[in-house]
Amino acid sequence: RRGRRHRASRSCPHVSPMRFAGPCRDPRPSSRPCHRPAPRSHDELPQRPIPPDQRAVREFAEAVFQPSVSLGTIVALERQTCAALAGAHDQARDAVRAAPVKSTDETGWKRDGSRCWLGIAATASVAFFVVHVQRGKPGRKALLGEVVCGVVISDRWSAYHGLPLDQRQIGWAHRKRDFQKCVERGGVGRMVGQSSLAVVEDVFTLRRDFRQRRIKRVSLQEQLETPAEELRESLVRRSG
């Protein structure tokens, strides 16, 4: 087996030479074949996402399309693509920032080996992405602009604390966690949490029906008025 791998390493670029310091029971050769046929359909394409790395892009292109692509070519194509999409990117930014309601979120990102943050602001029809070195207020301003318009649906990240209450809404998943904590604390808060969790489940059921196209958006908006009013009455009644 060692001899076969040594001979294969001279003819196949995907098999590297191996040196054994002592006996080895099962030195397995590389599972990557020397010849990788191009996929015959979309179903044969790799299902995992491609990381934002030029070497990974080159490997993907060679595996799928079988061209010999240099890293310089990939970098040049990236620049051309960015320039071609610059106008559309600006339009998406302006549309999202001017929207009456938008949802936001952030996640870690790598740029040139340095840790950054990928922010997203989305409406029902447009999504705007921006990469920034900070997750705090500078990152929020890069995403939503100096002056925030409309209502922002977000988590409890401190960068959004400066927004007026009438311009900020906490996502329902975060509200559900808050109500569950009320139940776990017991006392009067337990009843508030239980009734509120029931309302949350109604909201999630309507959302699921909408995503599965059982109801239309207009019907969704109309039916959401009932659980919203129930939640408002429950909180006012328990607080009084």
PDB file of all heavy atoms in Angstrom, residues 28-66:
ATOM      1  N   ARG A  28      -4.028   4.553   4.648  1.00  0.00           N
ATOM      2  CA  ARG A  28      -5.024   4.641   3.589  1.00  0.00           C
ATOM      3  C   ARG A  28      -4.663   5.723   2.583  1.00  0.00           C
ATOM      4  O   ARG A  28      -4.294   6.826   2.978  1.00  0.00           O
ATOM      5  CB  ARG A  28      -6.387   4.940   4.184  1.00  0.00           C
ATOM      6  CG  ARG A  28      -6.862   3.862   5.148  1.00  0.00           C
ATOM      7  CD  ARG A  28      -8.197   4.227   5.758  1.00  0.00           C
ATOM      8  NE  ARG A  28      -8.622   3.204   6.706  1.00  0.00           N
ATOM      9  CZ  ARG A  28      -9.733   3.279   7.425  1.00  0.00           C
ATOM     10  NH1 ARG A  28     -10.515   4.341   7.327  1.00  0.00           N
ATOM     11  NH2 ARG A  28     -10.040   2.304   8.263  1.00  0.00           N
ATOM     12  N   PRO A  29      -4.804   5.441   1.312  1.00  0.00           N
ATOM     13  CA  PRO A  29      -4.551   6.475   0.313  1.00  0.00           C
ATOM     14  C   PRO A  29      -5.660   7.519   0.357  1.00  0.00           C
ATOM     15  O   PRO A  29      -6.710   7.317   0.943  1.00  0.00           O
ATOM     16  CB  PRO A  29      -4.564   5.702  -1.011  1.00  0.00           C
ATOM     17  CG  PRO A  29      -5.414   4.510  -0.726  1.00  0.00           C
ATOM     18  CD  PRO A  29      -5.166   4.156   0.720  1.00  0.00           C
ATOM     19  N   SER A  30      -5.396   8.632  -0.271  1.00  0.00           N
ATOM     20  CA  SER A  30      -6.382   9.709  -0.290  1.00  0.00           C
ATOM     21  C   SER A  30      -7.648   9.247  -0.986  1.00  0.00           C
ATOM     22  O   SER A  30      -7.616   8.509  -1.969  1.00  0.00           O
ATOM     23  CB  SER A  30      -5.808  10.931  -1.021  1.00  0.00           C
ATOM     24  OG  SER A  30      -6.808  11.896  -1.210  1.00  0.00           O
ATOM     25  N   SER A  31      -8.793   9.682  -0.431  1.00  0.00           N
ATOM     26  CA  SER A  31     -10.081   9.322  -1.029  1.00  0.00           C
ATOM     27  C   SER A  31     -10.440  10.220  -2.199  1.00  0.00           C
ATOM     28  O   SER A  31     -11.449   9.996  -2.853  1.00  0.00           O
ATOM     29  CB  SER A  31     -11.187   9.410   0.034  1.00  0.00           C
ATOM     30  OG  SER A  31     -11.254  10.715   0.548  1.00  0.00           O
ATOM     31  N   ARG A  32      -9.632  11.271  -2.449  1.00  0.00           N
ATOM     32  CA  ARG A  32      -9.944  12.189  -3.544  1.00  0.00           C
ATOM     33  C   ARG A  32      -9.404  11.617  -4.846  1.00  0.00           C
ATOM     34  O   ARG A  32      -8.207  11.341  -4.964  1.00  0.00           O
ATOM     35  CB  ARG A  32      -9.329  13.559  -3.273  1.00  0.00           C
ATOM     36  CG  ARG A  32      -9.852  14.212  -2.011  1.00  0.00           C
ATOM     37  CD  ARG A  32      -9.106  15.478  -1.686  1.00  0.00           C
ATOM     38  NE  ARG A  32      -9.255  16.471  -2.735  1.00  0.00           N
ATOM     39  CZ  ARG A  32      -8.672  17.662  -2.698  1.00  0.00           C
ATOM     40  NH1 ARG A  32      -7.875  17.979  -1.706  1.00  0.00           N
ATOM     41  NH2 ARG A  32      -8.873  18.519  -3.686  1.00  0.00           N
ATOM     42  N   PRO A  33     -10.198  11.408  -5.839  1.00  0.00           N
ATOM     43  CA  PRO A  33      -9.735  10.796  -7.090  1.00  0.00           C
ATOM     44  C   PRO A  33      -8.872  11.749  -7.893  1.00  0.00           C
ATOM     45  O   PRO A  33      -8.941  12.972  -7.734  1.00  0.00           O
ATOM     46  CB  PRO A  33     -11.047  10.497  -7.829  1.00  0.00           C
ATOM     47  CG  PRO A  33     -12.002  11.516  -7.311  1.00  0.00           C
ATOM     48  CD  PRO A  33     -11.627  11.722  -5.874  1.00  0.00           C
ATOM     49  N   CYS A  34      -8.055  11.177  -8.762  1.00  0.00           N
ATOM     50  CA  CYS A  34      -7.212  11.987  -9.637  1.00  0.00           C
ATOM     51  C   CYS A  34      -8.054  12.711 -10.674  1.00  0.00           C
ATOM     52  O   CYS A  34      -7.722  13.818 -11.087  1.00  0.00           O
ATOM     53  CB  CYS A  34      -6.180  11.099 -10.337  1.00  0.00           C
ATOM     54  SG  CYS A  34      -5.057  10.266  -9.181  1.00  0.00           S
ATOM     55  N   HIS A  35      -9.128  12.096 -11.108  1.00  0.00           N
ATOM     56  CA  HIS A  35      -9.998  12.719 -12.106  1.00  0.00           C
ATOM     57  C   HIS A  35     -11.375  12.894 -11.495  1.00  0.00           C
ATOM     58  O   HIS A  35     -11.991  11.951 -11.022  1.00  0.00           O
ATOM     59  CB  HIS A  35     -10.097  11.828 -13.346  1.00  0.00           C
ATOM     60  CG  HIS A  35     -11.077  12.356 -14.366  1.00  0.00           C
ATOM     61  ND1 HIS A  35     -10.836  13.499 -15.076  1.00  0.00           N
ATOM     62  CD2 HIS A  35     -12.298  11.898 -14.749  1.00  0.00           C
ATOM     63  CE1 HIS A  35     -11.873  13.728 -15.879  1.00  0.00           C
ATOM     64  NE2 HIS A  35     -12.764  12.773 -15.694  1.00  0.00           N
ATOM     65  N   ARG A  36     -11.851  14.160 -11.473  1.00  0.00           N
ATOM     66  CA  ARG A  36     -13.142  14.454 -10.887  1.00  0.00           C
ATOM     67  C   ARG A  36     -14.087  14.900 -11.984  1.00  0.00           C
ATOM     68  O   ARG A  36     -13.955  16.019 -12.502  1.00  0.00           O
ATOM     69  CB  ARG A  36     -13.006  15.546  -9.834  1.00  0.00           C
ATOM     70  CG  ARG A  36     -12.244  15.093  -8.610  1.00  0.00           C
ATOM     71  CD  ARG A  36     -11.994  16.239  -7.676  1.00  0.00           C
ATOM     72  NE  ARG A  36     -11.002  17.155  -8.247  1.00  0.00           N
ATOM     73  CZ  ARG A  36     -10.486  18.175  -7.577  1.00  0.00           C
ATOM     74  NH1 ARG A  36     -10.859  18.413  -6.349  1.00  0.00           N
ATOM     75  NH2 ARG A  36      -9.601  18.959  -8.147  1.00  0.00           N
ATOM     76  N   PRO A  37     -15.013  14.045 -12.419  1.00  0.00           N
ATOM     77  CA  PRO A  37     -15.915  14.426 -13.505  1.00  0.00           C
ATOM     78  C   PRO A  37     -16.825  15.561 -13.095  1.00  0.00           C
ATOM     79  O   PRO A  37     -17.205  15.693 -11.934  1.00  0.00           O
ATOM     80  CB  PRO A  37     -16.715  13.137 -13.765  1.00  0.00           C
ATOM     81  CG  PRO A  37     -16.654  12.402 -12.462  1.00  0.00           C
ATOM     82  CD  PRO A  37     -15.304  12.713 -11.889  1.00  0.00           C
ATOM     83  N   ALA A  38     -17.177  16.385 -14.060  1.00  0.00           N
ATOM     84  CA  ALA A  38     -18.084  17.501 -13.795  1.00  0.00           C
ATOM     85  C   ALA A  38     -19.471  16.967 -13.481  1.00  0.00           C
ATOM     86  O   ALA A  38     -19.888  15.935 -13.995  1.00  0.00           O
ATOM     87  CB  ALA A  38     -18.149  18.421 -15.019  1.00  0.00           C
ATOM     88  N   PRO A  39     -20.207  17.634 -12.588  1.00  0.00           N
ATOM     89  CA  PRO A  39     -21.559  17.168 -12.252  1.00  0.00           C
ATOM     90  C   PRO A  39     -22.475  17.260 -13.449  1.00  0.00           C
ATOM     91  O   PRO A  39     -22.391  18.164 -14.265  1.00  0.00           O
ATOM     92  CB  PRO A  39     -21.982  18.133 -11.141  1.00  0.00           C
ATOM     93  CG  PRO A  39     -21.147  19.344 -11.334  1.00  0.00           C
ATOM     94  CD  PRO A  39     -19.834  18.842 -11.861  1.00  0.00           C
ATOM     95  N   ARG A  40     -23.372  16.286 -13.547  1.00  0.00           N
ATOM     96  CA  ARG A  40     -24.300  16.253 -14.679  1.00  0.00           C
ATOM     97  C   ARG A  40     -25.577  17.003 -14.404  1.00  0.00           C
ATOM     98  O   ARG A  40     -26.354  17.277 -15.301  1.00  0.00           O
ATOM     99  CB  ARG A  40     -24.627  14.793 -15.020  1.00  0.00           C
ATOM    100  CG  ARG A  40     -23.445  14.038 -15.593  1.00  0.00           C
ATOM    101  CD  ARG A  40     -23.709  12.557 -15.624  1.00  0.00           C
ATOM    102  NE  ARG A  40     -23.898  12.014 -14.279  1.00  0.00           N
ATOM    103  CZ  ARG A  40     -23.929  10.715 -14.011  1.00  0.00           C
ATOM    104  NH1 ARG A  40     -23.782   9.843 -14.958  1.00  0.00           N
ATOM    105  NH2 ARG A  40     -24.117  10.305 -12.775  1.00  0.00           N
ATOM    106  N   SER A  41     -25.853  17.349 -13.143  1.00  0.00           N
ATOM    107  CA  SER A  41     -27.069  18.070 -12.806  1.00  0.00           C
ATOM    108  C   SER A  41     -26.807  18.916 -11.577  1.00  0.00           C
ATOM    109  O   SER A  41     -25.768  18.788 -10.915  1.00  0.00           O
ATOM    110  CB  SER A  41     -28.216  17.093 -12.533  1.00  0.00           C
ATOM    111  OG  SER A  41     -27.951  16.338 -11.370  1.00  0.00           O
ATOM    112  N   HIS A  42     -27.769  19.795 -11.291  1.00  0.00           N
ATOM    113  CA  HIS A  42     -27.643  20.666 -10.125  1.00  0.00           C
ATOM    114  C   HIS A  42     -27.610  19.874  -8.832  1.00  0.00           C
ATOM    115  O   HIS A  42     -27.001  20.290  -7.839  1.00  0.00           O
ATOM    116  CB  HIS A  42     -28.817  21.649 -10.107  1.00  0.00           C
ATOM    117  CG  HIS A  42     -28.794  22.580  -8.934  1.00  0.00           C
ATOM    118  ND1 HIS A  42     -29.404  22.269  -7.738  1.00  0.00           N
ATOM    119  CD2 HIS A  42     -28.205  23.785  -8.760  1.00  0.00           C
ATOM    120  CE1 HIS A  42     -29.208  23.261  -6.874  1.00  0.00           C
ATOM    121  NE2 HIS A  42     -28.496  24.189  -7.468  1.00  0.00           N
ATOM    122  N   ASP A  43     -28.239  18.700  -8.805  1.00  0.00           N
ATOM    123  CA  ASP A  43     -28.297  17.888  -7.594  1.00  0.00           C
ATOM    124  C   ASP A  43     -26.924  17.362  -7.190  1.00  0.00           C
ATOM    125  O   ASP A  43     -26.708  16.988  -6.040  1.00  0.00           O
ATOM    126  CB  ASP A  43     -29.249  16.705  -7.778  1.00  0.00           C
ATOM    127  CG  ASP A  43     -30.689  17.174  -7.954  1.00  0.00           C
ATOM    128  OD1 ASP A  43     -30.993  18.289  -7.499  1.00  0.00           O
ATOM    129  OD2 ASP A  43     -31.479  16.429  -8.563  1.00  0.00           O
ATOM    130  N   GLU A  44     -25.984  17.300  -8.159  1.00  0.00           N
ATOM    131  CA  GLU A  44     -24.669  16.773  -7.865  1.00  0.00           C
ATOM    132  C   GLU A  44     -23.709  17.833  -7.352  1.00  0.00           C
ATOM    133  O   GLU A  44     -22.579  17.532  -7.007  1.00  0.00           O
ATOM    134  CB  GLU A  44     -24.083  16.114  -9.113  1.00  0.00           C
ATOM    135  CG  GLU A  44     -24.876  14.915  -9.595  1.00  0.00           C
ATOM    136  CD  GLU A  44     -24.228  14.250 -10.786  1.00  0.00           C
ATOM    137  OE1 GLU A  44     -23.030  14.493 -11.018  1.00  0.00           O
ATOM    138  OE2 GLU A  44     -24.904  13.500 -11.491  1.00  0.00           O
ATOM    139  N   LEU A  45     -24.143  19.098  -7.311  1.00  0.00           N
ATOM    140  CA  LEU A  45     -23.287  20.148  -6.798  1.00  0.00           C
ATOM    141  C   LEU A  45     -23.104  19.983  -5.297  1.00  0.00           C
ATOM    142  O   LEU A  45     -23.980  19.467  -4.613  1.00  0.00           O
ATOM    143  CB  LEU A  45     -23.904  21.528  -7.087  1.00  0.00           C
ATOM    144  CG  LEU A  45     -23.933  21.941  -8.563  1.00  0.00           C
ATOM    145  CD1 LEU A  45     -24.712  23.245  -8.692  1.00  0.00           C
ATOM    146  CD2 LEU A  45     -22.527  22.112  -9.101  1.00  0.00           C
ATOM    147  N   PRO A  46     -21.972  20.431  -4.742  1.00  0.00           N
ATOM    148  CA  PRO A  46     -21.781  20.339  -3.296  1.00  0.00           C
ATOM    149  C   PRO A  46     -22.881  21.093  -2.561  1.00  0.00           C
ATOM    150  O   PRO A  46     -23.245  22.197  -2.935  1.00  0.00           O
ATOM    151  CB  PRO A  46     -20.395  20.990  -3.086  1.00  0.00           C
ATOM    152  CG  PRO A  46     -19.703  20.872  -4.413  1.00  0.00           C
ATOM    153  CD  PRO A  46     -20.790  20.952  -5.447  1.00  0.00           C
ATOM    154  N   GLN A  47     -23.386  20.501  -1.490  1.00  0.00           N
ATOM    155  CA  GLN A  47     -24.489  21.089  -0.747  1.00  0.00           C
ATOM    156  C   GLN A  47     -24.031  22.029   0.357  1.00  0.00           C
ATOM    157  O   GLN A  47     -24.808  22.830   0.846  1.00  0.00           O
ATOM    158  CB  GLN A  47     -25.348  19.975  -0.140  1.00  0.00           C
ATOM    159  CG  GLN A  47     -25.978  19.079  -1.191  1.00  0.00           C
ATOM    160  CD  GLN A  47     -26.883  19.865  -2.128  1.00  0.00           C
ATOM    161  OE1 GLN A  47     -27.703  20.653  -1.689  1.00  0.00           O
ATOM    162  NE2 GLN A  47     -26.709  19.656  -3.415  1.00  0.00           N
ATOM    163  N   ARG A  48     -22.761  21.957   0.778  1.00  0.00           N
ATOM    164  CA  ARG A  48     -22.306  22.843   1.831  1.00  0.00           C
ATOM    165  C   ARG A  48     -21.953  24.208   1.250  1.00  0.00           C
ATOM    166  O   ARG A  48     -21.530  24.315   0.103  1.00  0.00           O
ATOM    167  CB  ARG A  48     -21.080  22.258   2.536  1.00  0.00           C
ATOM    168  CG  ARG A  48     -19.857  22.089   1.636  1.00  0.00           C
ATOM    169  CD  ARG A  48     -18.717  21.440   2.390  1.00  0.00           C
ATOM    170  NE  ARG A  48     -17.536  21.270   1.556  1.00  0.00           N
ATOM    171  CZ  ARG A  48     -16.605  22.195   1.421  1.00  0.00           C
ATOM    172  NH1 ARG A  48     -16.731  23.351   2.024  1.00  0.00           N
ATOM    173  NH2 ARG A  48     -15.539  21.962   0.665  1.00  0.00           N
ATOM    174  N   PRO A  49     -22.113  25.290   2.034  1.00  0.00           N
ATOM    175  CA  PRO A  49     -21.794  26.621   1.523  1.00  0.00           C
ATOM    176  C   PRO A  49     -20.302  26.791   1.280  1.00  0.00           C
ATOM    177  O   PRO A  49     -19.468  26.173   1.961  1.00  0.00           O
ATOM    178  CB  PRO A  49     -22.292  27.548   2.639  1.00  0.00           C
ATOM    179  CG  PRO A  49     -22.282  26.696   3.865  1.00  0.00           C
ATOM    180  CD  PRO A  49     -22.633  25.306   3.396  1.00  0.00           C
ATOM    181  N   ILE A  50     -19.944  27.623   0.322  1.00  0.00           N
ATOM    182  CA  ILE A  50     -18.553  27.884   0.003  1.00  0.00           C
ATOM    183  C   ILE A  50     -18.041  29.008   0.891  1.00  0.00           C
ATOM    184  O   ILE A  50     -18.621  30.083   0.917  1.00  0.00           O
ATOM    185  CB  ILE A  50     -18.400  28.276  -1.484  1.00  0.00           C
ATOM    186  CG1 ILE A  50     -18.961  27.170  -2.370  1.00  0.00           C
ATOM    187  CG2 ILE A  50     -16.937  28.543  -1.817  1.00  0.00           C
ATOM    188  CD1 ILE A  50     -18.304  25.837  -2.181  1.00  0.00           C
ATOM    189  N   PRO A  51     -16.983  28.798   1.666  1.00  0.00           N
ATOM    190  CA  PRO A  51     -16.478  29.858   2.531  1.00  0.00           C
ATOM    191  C   PRO A  51     -15.887  30.994   1.709  1.00  0.00           C
ATOM    192  O   PRO A  51     -15.454  30.796   0.569  1.00  0.00           O
ATOM    193  CB  PRO A  51     -15.397  29.141   3.355  1.00  0.00           C
ATOM    194  CG  PRO A  51     -14.989  27.971   2.527  1.00  0.00           C
ATOM    195  CD  PRO A  51     -16.211  27.553   1.771  1.00  0.00           C
ATOM    196  N   PRO A  52     -15.868  32.216   2.278  1.00  0.00           N
ATOM    197  CA  PRO A  52     -15.362  33.366   1.523  1.00  0.00           C
ATOM    198  C   PRO A  52     -13.846  33.380   1.473  1.00  0.00           C
ATOM    199  O   PRO A  52     -13.187  34.215   2.068  1.00  0.00           O
ATOM    200  CB  PRO A  52     -15.910  34.551   2.326  1.00  0.00           C
ATOM    201  CG  PRO A  52     -16.006  34.037   3.720  1.00  0.00           C
ATOM    202  CD  PRO A  52     -16.378  32.584   3.592  1.00  0.00           C
ATOM    203  N   ASP A  53     -13.261  32.457   0.745  1.00  0.00           N
ATOM    204  CA  ASP A  53     -11.823  32.345   0.647  1.00  0.00           C
ATOM    205  C   ASP A  53     -11.477  32.011  -0.801  1.00  0.00           C
ATOM    206  O   ASP A  53     -12.083  31.135  -1.415  1.00  0.00           O
ATOM    207  CB  ASP A  53     -11.305  31.262   1.603  1.00  0.00           C
ATOM    208  CG  ASP A  53      -9.812  31.077   1.485  1.00  0.00           C
ATOM    209  OD1 ASP A  53      -9.076  31.891   2.057  1.00  0.00           O
ATOM    210  OD2 ASP A  53      -9.384  30.134   0.780  1.00  0.00           O
ATOM    211  N   GLN A  54     -10.497  32.723  -1.361  1.00  0.00           N
ATOM    212  CA  GLN A  54     -10.180  32.535  -2.774  1.00  0.00           C
ATOM    213  C   GLN A  54      -9.720  31.116  -3.077  1.00  0.00           C
ATOM    214  O   GLN A  54     -10.042  30.566  -4.130  1.00  0.00           O
ATOM    215  CB  GLN A  54      -9.095  33.539  -3.207  1.00  0.00           C
ATOM    216  CG  GLN A  54      -9.591  34.963  -3.346  1.00  0.00           C
ATOM    217  CD  GLN A  54      -9.579  35.714  -2.046  1.00  0.00           C
ATOM    218  OE1 GLN A  54      -9.142  35.176  -1.023  1.00  0.00           O
ATOM    219  NE2 GLN A  54     -10.064  36.944  -2.046  1.00  0.00           N
ATOM    220  N   ARG A  55      -8.973  30.516  -2.163  1.00  0.00           N
ATOM    221  CA  ARG A  55      -8.508  29.149  -2.410  1.00  0.00           C
ATOM    222  C   ARG A  55      -9.675  28.166  -2.436  1.00  0.00           C
ATOM    223  O   ARG A  55      -9.697  27.230  -3.233  1.00  0.00           O
ATOM    224  CB  ARG A  55      -7.492  28.744  -1.340  1.00  0.00           C
ATOM    225  CG  ARG A  55      -6.228  29.581  -1.370  1.00  0.00           C
ATOM    226  CD  ARG A  55      -5.201  29.090  -0.359  1.00  0.00           C
ATOM    227  NE  ARG A  55      -4.041  29.948  -0.326  1.00  0.00           N
ATOM    228  CZ  ARG A  55      -3.016  29.877  -1.172  1.00  0.00           C
ATOM    229  NH1 ARG A  55      -3.018  28.955  -2.117  1.00  0.00           N
ATOM    230  NH2 ARG A  55      -2.001  30.708  -1.076  1.00  0.00           N
ATOM    231  N   ALA A  56     -10.650  28.371  -1.550  1.00  0.00           N
ATOM    232  CA  ALA A  56     -11.815  27.497  -1.553  1.00  0.00           C
ATOM    233  C   ALA A  56     -12.630  27.687  -2.827  1.00  0.00           C
ATOM    234  O   ALA A  56     -13.162  26.725  -3.384  1.00  0.00           O
ATOM    235  CB  ALA A  56     -12.680  27.778  -0.327  1.00  0.00           C
ATOM    236  N   VAL A  57     -12.723  28.923  -3.302  1.00  0.00           N
ATOM    237  CA  VAL A  57     -13.439  29.186  -4.555  1.00  0.00           C
ATOM    238  C   VAL A  57     -12.734  28.507  -5.723  1.00  0.00           C
ATOM    239  O   VAL A  57     -13.368  27.912  -6.599  1.00  0.00           O
ATOM    240  CB  VAL A  57     -13.560  30.704  -4.799  1.00  0.00           C
ATOM    241  CG1 VAL A  57     -14.155  30.984  -6.172  1.00  0.00           C
ATOM    242  CG2 VAL A  57     -14.427  31.347  -3.722  1.00  0.00           C
ATOM    243  N   ARG A  58     -11.402  28.575  -5.745  1.00  0.00           N
ATOM    244  CA  ARG A  58     -10.657  27.912  -6.814  1.00  0.00           C
ATOM    245  C   ARG A  58     -10.868  26.402  -6.775  1.00  0.00           C
ATOM    246  O   ARG A  58     -11.092  25.765  -7.807  1.00  0.00           O
ATOM    247  CB  ARG A  58      -9.161  28.234  -6.694  1.00  0.00           C
ATOM    248  CG  ARG A  58      -8.326  27.580  -7.798  1.00  0.00           C
ATOM    249  CD  ARG A  58      -6.868  27.931  -7.689  1.00  0.00           C
ATOM    250  NE  ARG A  58      -6.262  27.356  -6.495  1.00  0.00           N
ATOM    251  CZ  ARG A  58      -4.952  27.474  -6.198  1.00  0.00           C
ATOM    252  NH1 ARG A  58      -4.155  28.153  -6.998  1.00  0.00           N
ATOM    253  NH2 ARG A  58      -4.479  26.922  -5.098  1.00  0.00           N
ATOM    254  N   GLU A  59     -10.831  25.826  -5.578  1.00  0.00           N
ATOM    255  CA  GLU A  59     -11.042  24.388  -5.453  1.00  0.00           C
ATOM    256  C   GLU A  59     -12.439  23.999  -5.925  1.00  0.00           C
ATOM    257  O   GLU A  59     -12.617  22.986  -6.610  1.00  0.00           O
ATOM    258  CB  GLU A  59     -10.836  23.966  -3.999  1.00  0.00           C
ATOM    259  CG  GLU A  59     -11.029  22.471  -3.768  1.00  0.00           C
ATOM    260  CD  GLU A  59     -10.830  22.098  -2.310  1.00  0.00           C
ATOM    261  OE1 GLU A  59     -10.427  22.972  -1.521  1.00  0.00           O
ATOM    262  OE2 GLU A  59     -11.089  20.924  -1.973  1.00  0.00           O
ATOM    263  N   PHE A  60     -13.431  24.819  -5.565  1.00  0.00           N
ATOM    264  CA  PHE A  60     -14.800  24.546  -5.986  1.00  0.00           C
ATOM    265  C   PHE A  60     -14.925  24.628  -7.507  1.00  0.00           C
ATOM    266  O   PHE A  60     -15.538  23.766  -8.148  1.00  0.00           O
ATOM    267  CB  PHE A  60     -15.746  25.545  -5.321  1.00  0.00           C
ATOM    268  CG  PHE A  60     -17.173  25.429  -5.783  1.00  0.00           C
ATOM    269  CD1 PHE A  60     -18.001  24.441  -5.276  1.00  0.00           C
ATOM    270  CD2 PHE A  60     -17.689  26.313  -6.723  1.00  0.00           C
ATOM    271  CE1 PHE A  60     -19.311  24.330  -5.694  1.00  0.00           C
ATOM    272  CE2 PHE A  60     -19.005  26.214  -7.145  1.00  0.00           C
ATOM    273  CZ  PHE A  60     -19.820  25.218  -6.631  1.00  0.00           C
ATOM    274  N   ALA A  61     -14.336  25.657  -8.112  1.00  0.00           N
ATOM    275  CA  ALA A  61     -14.423  25.822  -9.560  1.00  0.00           C
ATOM    276  C   ALA A  61     -13.744  24.668 -10.296  1.00  0.00           C
ATOM    277  O   ALA A  61     -14.254  24.164 -11.296  1.00  0.00           O
ATOM    278  CB  ALA A  61     -13.802  27.157  -9.980  1.00  0.00           C
ATOM    279  N   GLU A  62     -12.601  24.244  -9.798  1.00  0.00           N
ATOM    280  CA  GLU A  62     -11.899  23.136 -10.446  1.00  0.00           C
ATOM    281  C   GLU A  62     -12.658  21.827 -10.285  1.00  0.00           C
ATOM    282  O   GLU A  62     -12.660  20.982 -11.181  1.00  0.00           O
ATOM    283  CB  GLU A  62     -10.491  23.015  -9.863  1.00  0.00           C
ATOM    284  CG  GLU A  62      -9.580  24.178 -10.229  1.00  0.00           C
ATOM    285  CD  GLU A  62      -8.209  24.051  -9.590  1.00  0.00           C
ATOM    286  OE1 GLU A  62      -8.046  23.157  -8.727  1.00  0.00           O
ATOM    287  OE2 GLU A  62      -7.322  24.841  -9.931  1.00  0.00           O
ATOM    288  N   ALA A  63     -13.332  21.639  -9.138  1.00  0.00           N
ATOM    289  CA  ALA A  63     -14.069  20.401  -8.912  1.00  0.00           C
ATOM    290  C   ALA A  63     -15.330  20.331  -9.758  1.00  0.00           C
ATOM    291  O   ALA A  63     -15.711  19.258 -10.235  1.00  0.00           O
ATOM    292  CB  ALA A  63     -14.428  20.272  -7.435  1.00  0.00           C
ATOM    293  N   VAL A  64     -15.972  21.465  -9.978  1.00  0.00           N
ATOM    294  CA  VAL A  64     -17.252  21.468 -10.678  1.00  0.00           C
ATOM    295  C   VAL A  64     -17.076  21.674 -12.174  1.00  0.00           C
ATOM    296  O   VAL A  64     -17.655  20.950 -12.991  1.00  0.00           O
ATOM    297  CB  VAL A  64     -18.175  22.552 -10.090  1.00  0.00           C
ATOM    298  CG1 VAL A  64     -19.481  22.634 -10.875  1.00  0.00           C
ATOM    299  CG2 VAL A  64     -18.473  22.250  -8.629  1.00  0.00           C
ATOM    300  N   PHE A  65     -16.258  22.679 -12.547  1.00  0.00           N
ATOM    301  CA  PHE A  65     -16.149  23.045 -13.963  1.00  0.00           C
ATOM    302  C   PHE A  65     -14.852  22.591 -14.614  1.00  0.00           C
ATOM    303  O   PHE A  65     -14.707  22.677 -15.826  1.00  0.00           O
ATOM    304  CB  PHE A  65     -16.286  24.567 -14.106  1.00  0.00           C
ATOM    305  CG  PHE A  65     -17.543  25.104 -13.490  1.00  0.00           C
ATOM    306  CD1 PHE A  65     -17.490  25.864 -12.343  1.00  0.00           C
ATOM    307  CD2 PHE A  65     -18.783  24.841 -14.052  1.00  0.00           C
ATOM    308  CE1 PHE A  65     -18.644  26.362 -11.756  1.00  0.00           C
ATOM    309  CE2 PHE A  65     -19.943  25.329 -13.479  1.00  0.00           C
ATOM    310  CZ  PHE A  65     -19.878  26.088 -12.324  1.00  0.00           C
ATOM    311  N   GLN A  66     -13.885  22.174 -13.803  1.00  0.00           N
ATOM    312  CA  GLN A  66     -12.606  21.629 -14.266  1.00  0.00           C
ATOM    313  C   GLN A  66     -11.748  22.609 -15.054  1.00  0.00           C
ATOM    314  O   GLN A  66     -11.003  22.198 -15.935  1.00  0.00           O
ATOM    315  CB  GLN A  66     -12.846  20.369 -15.122  1.00  0.00           C
ATOM    316  CG  GLN A  66     -13.429  19.212 -14.321  1.00  0.00           C
ATOM    317  CD  GLN A  66     -13.513  17.945 -15.157  1.00  0.00           C
ATOM    318  OE1 GLN A  66     -13.853  17.992 -16.333  1.00  0.00           O
ATOM    319  NE2 GLN A  66     -13.207  16.827 -14.553  1.00  0.00           N
TER     320      GLN A  66
END
